[in-house]
Amino acid sequence: MSLTAIALRVLFTYLFMLVLLRLSGKRTVAQGTPFDFVVALILGDMLDDVYWAEVPVSQFVVGAGVVMLAHLSVSCIGFVSPAFSRWVAGVPCEIVREGELCPDGMRQERVSPHDVMMELRQDSIDDMREIRSLTIETSGLPGVLFREWAKKAQKRDLDRVRAAQEEAQE
Amino acid sequence: MELQELLLTAARGLGVYLFMLVVIRLLGKREVGNFSAFDLLVALMLGEVVDEVIYGDVGPAQGAVAVLVIALAQYVSGWLSHLDHGMESLLEGKPTVVVRNGEIQKDGLRKERMSPHDLMAQLRLQSVDDLREVELAVIETNGQVSAVKEDWAEPVQKGDLKGPEAEQKRRDTGGQETPPPDKQTTAEKQLK
C-alpha cells in the first residue's frame, strides 16, 4: 500500500469529518447530550478502516454520511418538537432541593448520596444546606444554584461589607 | 463498490444509529456526562462495536448482542452503586484524602501514586495557591481533585452581612454554623 495513498485517504477523511462536524454546529462536548458524544465516537471509529484501505472510501462516505444525516435529522426534529427532544435528550433532573437530597431524582439518575457529596466537594462546597438546587442537566453535567444567603457578596453589597468590617474592627 | 453494497451500508448505518439512540437513552445521562475513566471506556467500547456493524464485518445480531451486554452491565453496576454503598466502593472506589487542614497527607499521595508536584498542579487548577487555606483536598473516584477551603478562606456570603439573608440563614441552619454530618461534604462518613 503506497504511503501517498494512505496520506491522501487520511487527508480526505479529515476534511470530510471537518465538513460534517461544522454542519452539525456543535462546539464542545459539554454543550451536547451524551448521545452527541457517542455519535462522535462512532464516526471517529469509522475512520481508521479507511486509512488502511480495509474499507472502500465510498462505503465510508455513505456510512458516515448516513449516521451524520440521521443525527442532524434528530436534532432538527428535536428543535421543532419539544416532546421529542425530551425523549431523546432527557430532562434536567433535580437531585438536591433546599438542602435536602431528592430520592426520586437520585433514583432516576441512579445517583447515590456519596455521588452527591462528591459533586458538591468538586464545587468547593462543604455545606449541603447552602444549596437551593443541584440539577443534572441533559448534558449529564451538574448545575448548582445557591440559596440567597449562601451567594457570594456582590459589589452592590459593598456598603454592608464595609459596615461589617467596621463592626469587626471594634 | 457496488450500489447494492452501498445501500446496505446506508441501511446498517441508519439501523445502528437508531439502535444506539434507544440504548443510550435507556442508560441515561449518568453514563456519559460526568465521566469516570470507566464510563469513558464504556462509551468507547460501544462506539467500537458499532462501527464494525456499519461496515458489515459483523452481523447485526452479533453487534446487537455485544452492545446490549455492555449496556446491561453498565446499567446494572449503576443500579448497584445507587442501592448499596458497599457495592459502590467495590465498583467505583473511595475518595482519597490528600490534604487535611493545610497538611499534605503522605499516605494519601502514596495510595494515589501522586507526587506533591502533581498535587500542587491540580490545586492550582482549582485556583488554590496557599495550602493553608485548604481544609480538605480529596482525589475523587472519578480522578478529579476537589479542594474545600477553610471557613476563613471562603468568599464572603450574603448571609455573613447584616440583613434579610442572615435571618434566612439562621432559619435554614437552625443557628448551627457547622453542618450535621449528613449535610457536611467533608465529614468522615462521607469519605468512606
Side-chain angles (χ1 to χ4, degrees), chain B residues 53-161:
Chain B
V53 176
I54 299 180
Y55 285 144
D57 288 334
V58 162
Q62 289 168 296
V65 166
V67 167
L68 287 175
V69 169
I70 295 171
L72 202 66
Q74 185 68 347
Y75 187 79
V76 168
S77 72
W79 261 115
L80 288 176
S81 302
H82 168 71
L83 289 175
D84 176 44
H85 183 52
M87 278 310 286
E88 187 178 16
S89 307
L90 192 67
L91 291 169
E92 294 175 18
K94 291 182 224 180
T96 313
V97 176
V98 287
V99 177
R100 197 174 251 129
N101 297 122
E103 300 288 328
I104 295 185
Q105 305 296 300
K106 294 244 157 63
D107 34 316
L109 284 184
R110 195 182 316 122
K111 176 164 178 264
E112 294 291 328
R113 295 187 296 281
M114 186 185 252
S115 75
H117 265 98
D118 291 332
L119 177 62
M120 295 311 266
Q122 289 292 323
L123 288 174
R124 278 195 297 272
L125 287 173
Q126 298 270 328
S127 300
V128 172
D129 59 352
D130 185 350
L131 259 187
R132 298 172 299 183
E133 287 181 3
V134 178
E135 183 187 314
L136 190 77
V138 156
I139 302 192
E140 303 288 359
T141 53
N142 63 6
Q144 302 225 325
V145 172
S146 31
V148 173
K149 294 203 174 166
E150 300 274 8
D151 278 329
W152 50 262
E154 280 182 6
V156 174
Q157 292 179 341
K158 289 192 197 247
D160 297 326
L161 308 169

Side-chain angles (χ1 to χ4, degrees), chain A residues 114 121, chain B residues 94-97 100 136 138 140 185-192:
Chain A
H114 269 78
R121 277 194 301 263
Chain B
K94 291 182 224 180
T96 313
V97 176
R100 197 174 251 129
L136 190 77
V138 156
E140 303 288 359
T185 63
T186 54
E188 275 311 309
K189 74 177 240 189
Q190 303 298 353
L191 299 169
K192 295 230 182 309

Side-chain angles (χ1 to χ4, degrees), chain A residues 46-116:
Chain A
M46 293 176 72
L47 291 175
D48 74 287
D49 287 319
V50 183
Y51 298 162
W52 320 129
E54 283 167 27
V55 153
V57 173
S58 57
Q59 196 180 22
F60 163 75
V61 168
V62 167
V66 164
V67 169
M68 201 61 208
L69 220 64
H71 196 53
L72 275 173
S73 311
V74 165
S75 292
C76 286
I77 301 175
F79 184 70
V80 164
S81 159
F84 183 78
S85 176
R86 271 193 300 269
W87 185 80
V88 170
V91 287
C93 186
E94 205 167 34
I95 54 177
V96 177
R97 170 129 219 111
E98 301 291 340
E100 300 288 338
L101 296 172
C102 300
D104 296 322
M106 287 169 64
R107 195 179 315 120
Q108 200 177 315
E109 292 295 320
R110 296 191 300 282
V111 159
S112 73
H114 269 78
D115 289 327
V116 174

